Amino acid sequence: MTPLAYLKQQLGAPPCEDALTAYQQWWATTGRALSETIDRWGTPTLRQHDRYGQRVDEILLPAGYTELVQEGYKHGVVWRVIEQQDWAASFALGYLTAYYDSGLYCPHTVSLSTAVPLLKYGTPALQERYLTPMLRRDGAAWQGATWMTEVGGGSDLGANVQTVAVPDGDAYRLTGAKYFCSNVRAELAVVAARPQGAPSGVRGLALFLAPRYREDGSLNFTIRRIKDKIGTRAVITGEVDLHESVGYLLGSAETGVYLILEVLNISRVANSVGSVALIQRALDEAESFAQGRIVFGKPLAEQPLMRTQLARWRDTLECAFALAWAPVRLLAEVWAQTPPYSPRYHLFRLLTHLAKYWTAEQAVQAAKWCMEAHGGAGVLEEYGVERLLREAMVLPIWEGGSHRQMLDALEAIQRRNAGALLLEHLAPYADPAELNEWRARLDAYLQQPPDAQEAHLETLIPPLAEWVARTLRRRAV
Ligand SMILES: Cc1cc2nc3c(=O)[nH]c(=O)nc-3n(C[C@H](O)[C@H](O)[C@H](O)COP(=O)(O)OP(=O)(O)OC[C@H]3O[C@@H](n4cnc5c(N)ncnc54)[C@H](O)[C@@H]3O)c2cc1C
């Protein structure tokens, strides 16, 4: 089944259907081949100096790369949100992208996660200068990036962000180094840094917009290197040095940590949608192989054990889709909120953590199973099935790892009453007995000492996420 056909099956009439049809057609005729070329032969390289010795930090791109990345912008992965607040359209486009190239959805995601805070918190002058070119539809849209992580570690940003921001007129000067910088050739990045004199810990962090070039055309930051990765080769990930780089504060320094989390939460919704697309791709690949491969006298797909596995993955795909799409719906409702947030936002956040956690874990398992279902052919580079696993492996790691999602889900339950909000949200579709059972289970869980609540999270979050997914799926049918 094509990803668009699956979207139609799940959503009825999907948003921007004409654009989705055209985008899928482009993938079938052009995008797929470009993506495979870039994965296998097209790793971009960094030219740091020109022939005269000037620092230029040019990324040398394989032919076709620009078209590959720009097509999603043309169809509206960013402008449909900024101009029309059509979140569903953006995530539906993302679903198509991730079905064909999971890693490529990263540049689109981080561009969206740059554009939204610029829309919410940027001054009109910043928007005019930096947001407007992100909305171009001519194949030259400016891209964004979201750089928080430093070499000490990404989970504990409060302890590890060493980048300092010093006020300078109406802007700041940022000095530090970012260790994981996806979409490193973007024209803009939102960057976590600590304003000089701000308190230590995560509450002292703020969010800044750092353009790649200064007003005079010189480089605003330099790229130390591009990283070699097992997958996601369609996104260029590098390390960046900020040396008194110009940065514009978004929102206020006091609420900076919330803005950083808003950025991450948009990316987590996209990660969930992308994970589901990867599950669908793995299932489609396995199904088509199993129909053609003859084992013990009949197609593999007709062997009872394989039939059971195929049916189980179809079921998981539907549950994963329902779980991933719930935060999409809620984000469309709550995206404009600023701190302090409403209960609806906390519900969105809990669903986002559950979805990011569960769909990413399922995507890895689906990719592994798809490889196994292909037997030895699954391991061979020439068939591209192994790529699904290489792509999937990062899904539970970036945008906050699975531990982080479980811990943040717990925090939302403990401190924001999000467990009760979730049960209330599910009440119309849930089995009443199951609902009561979960109410009692959550209450009992919260009676444990805090350390025990963290230590035993794997007894709570995975089954909760799966139950929520199954319940939401029931709403869809
Ligand atoms: C390909 C790629 C691209 C990336 N692009 C970007 C980017 O563009 N911008 C950006 O900011 N970051 C980016 N990242 C970084 C990513 O977000 C981090 O890798 C991730 O947040 C985890 O941080 P870490 O790698 O430093 O691991 P650490 O924070 O050191 O964590 C190590 C392990 O400990 C676990 N852990 C952490 N805290 C706890 C706890 N309390 N209890 C139990 N376990 C815990 C983590 O889940 C992880 O498994 C990228 C990463 C990759 C791999």
Side-chain angles (χ1 to χ4, degrees), residues 208-222:
F208 295 87
L209 181 79
R212 178 147 192 221
Y213 296 102
R214 295 182 181 165
E215 300 273 340
D216 64 4
S218 62
L219 288 173
N220 192 30
F221 47 76
T222 54

Side-chain angles (χ1 to χ4, degrees), residues 1 93 119 135 202 243 290 294 300 315 410 445 452 454:
M1 187 183 283
L93 287 161
L119 176 68
L135 309 179
V202 79
H243 344 250
I294 306 298
L300 175 58
D315 175 67
L410 177 65
Y445 198 87
E454 274 201 27

Side-chain angles (χ1 to χ4, degrees), residues 146 148-149 153-155 180-182 229 394 397-399 403 407:
T146 61
M148 316 296 172
T149 308
S155 309
F180 274 110
C181 301
S182 286
K229 298 173 291 176
V394 78
I397 295 177
W398 62 13
E399 316 301 357
H403 305 107
L407 289 161

